[in-house]
Amino acid sequence: QVQLVESGGGLVQPGDSLRLSCAASRFTLNYYTIGWFRQAPGKEREGIACISSRDGRIKYSESVKGRFTISRDNAKSTVDLQMNDLKPEDTAVYYCAADDLRGLEASLMSWEYDYWGQGTQVTVSS
């Protein structure tokens, strides 16, 4: 069982940046397809970024493209989400998710992922 842990959330002002990290206890994430998702109160979970283990392809949602960057840090075995120019509408609980080592292609569909972290809160407010 892969247990994922997100970190790096917090309260920031509009225009600020945050860097989220996704790590796994007892496993390296280097060979997993990882997705970042978020869920705001009263809204459905939204896939915002992913990086495939199959071919390294990266995909972003239109809502974050150009502002967020997903990357692997193989030395730390984490998958990070650099979030720049944050807006109040980015306020949500952010989750990372992993496939089950089946080489999932880049996907923003939550149902394609097998393991989930508990989430980290990001609040953007002035």
Side-chain angles (χ1 to χ4, degrees), residues 47-64:
I48 57 173
C50 61
I51 183 166
S52 172
S53 63
R54 174 177 293 192
D55 53 13
R57 281 192 64 192
I58 289 173
K59 185 180 289 187
Y60 297 100
S61 68
E62 288 300 318
S63 60
V64 306

Side-chain angles (χ1 to χ4, degrees), residues 72-89:
R72 290 188 189 273
D73 186 328
N74 289 335
K76 296 191 298 182
S77 188
T78 62
V79 175
D80 298 338
L81 185 69
Q82 176 66 39
M83 306 187 297
N84 297 330
D85 190 24
L86 283 161
K87 305 175 186 300
E89 53 264 40

Side-chain angles (χ1 to χ4, degrees), residues 1-70:
Q1 184 79 4
V2 177
Q3 293 182 316
L4 301 175
V5 179
E6 304 92 342
S7 62
L11 171 63
V12 297
Q13 294 186 338
D16 284 352
S17 298
L18 273 178
R19 188 175 185 89
L20 306 183
S21 285
C22 176
S25 59
R26 302 187 295 115
F27 292 92
T28 175
L29 291 182
N30 297 355
Y31 308 110
Y32 290 84
T33 292
I34 302 296
W36 278 98
F37 295 79
R38 67 185 182 185
Q39 189 163 20
K43 294 189 176 182
E44 292 187 354
R45 189 167 294 189
E46 174 192 17
I48 57 173
C50 61
I51 183 166
S52 172
S53 63
R54 174 177 293 192
D55 53 13
R57 281 192 64 192
I58 289 173
K59 185 180 289 187
Y60 297 100
S61 68
E62 288 300 318
S63 60
V64 306
K65 192 178 294 183
R67 299 188 298 124
F68 291 10
T69 303
I70 189 171

Side-chain angles (χ1 to χ4, degrees), residues 90-102:
D90 294 318
T91 295
V93 178
Y94 284 69
Y95 302 89
C96 66
D99 73 339
D100 61 355
L101 284 176
R102 66 184 185 278

